[in-house]
Amino acid sequence: PDSLSYFSIDAVKPERVKTYELGYRATFFNKIYLDASYYFSFYRDFIGYKIGADLEYDPIYKSPTEIQVYRAATNAKDMVSTQGFSCGISYFFKKYYSLNGNYSWNKLDLRGSDDPIIPAYNTPRHKFNIGISGRDIASSKVVFQNLGFSINYKWIEGFIFEGSPQFTGYVPTYSLLDIQV
């Protein structure tokens, strides 16, 4: 239609990424396991969205009479980078019990770009888990032999989720407690 003539976007190209990653994994005293890593990624043609609108304007009442909003997938014109860090640790105590936790930090960097792309990164900046678990727990009662359990607390910082138009919005900070037997 003629209304689309002002809303021109190039065809979407596949994203290209170069990533540098550095990690460390170690075992201490055969009871503590550590796994940490850092990454830095450079994207060309990062896929995101652009929003546009066509307006029909009534000059007499000085207000729009018709509005058509568009949202289309497109590639970023500038380089986009992301970086992140994660660290996980597990401590095994007694025979089959463990305490474990992990933390991750992720960041999108548009490098001061004036490109109006909406990046659809959909990743919280901070999140962590902490938990305790046990397996093959012996019991004097036959019914409870080979029992296992896990209790895990998870916290996720709020972030903007940018999906299709009807599924775009702010996901508030939340936490979960999972218990499994």
Side-chain angles (χ1 to χ4, degrees), residues 18 33 49 54 64 74 81 132 149 164 166 168 172:
K18 287 185 180 178
Y33 298 92
Y49 298 95
D54 282 338
T74 188
S81 66
I132 184 170
F149 75 93
S164 59
Q166 67 271 31
T168 294

Side-chain angles (χ1 to χ4, degrees), residues 106-179:
N106 299 284
K107 182 180 178 194
L108 172 70
D109 184 6
L110 298 175
R111 300 181 159 246
S113 172
D114 60 357
D115 188 348
I117 191 171
I118 299 170
Y121 187 52
N122 298 335
T123 302
R125 184 165 288 201
H126 302 279
K127 63 182 178 176
F128 74 86
N129 293 299
I130 189 163
I132 184 170
S133 63
R135 64 180 179 87
D136 295 331
I137 299 169
S139 174
S140 60
K141 296 186 178 185
V142 176
V143 177
F144 295 113
Q145 287 185 342
N146 301 320
L147 183 70
F149 75 93
S150 175
I151 301 171
N152 192 56
Y153 174 78
K154 179 187 292 190
W155 179 88
I156 295 93
E157 182 179 44
F159 62 99
I160 295 176
F161 181 87
E162 295 160 325
S164 59
Q166 67 271 31
F167 299 115
T168 294
Y170 184 74
V171 176
T173 297
Y174 66 95
S175 58
L176 300 167
L177 180 64
D178 294 323
I179 301 173

Side-chain angles (χ1 to χ4, degrees), residues 95-116:
K95 190 170 181 179
Y96 295 112
Y97 294 87
S98 70
L99 288 171
N100 43 17
N102 62 56
Y103 167 79
S104 69
W105 170 79
N106 299 284
K107 182 180 178 194
L108 172 70
D109 184 6
L110 298 175
R111 300 181 159 246
S113 172
D114 60 357
D115 188 348

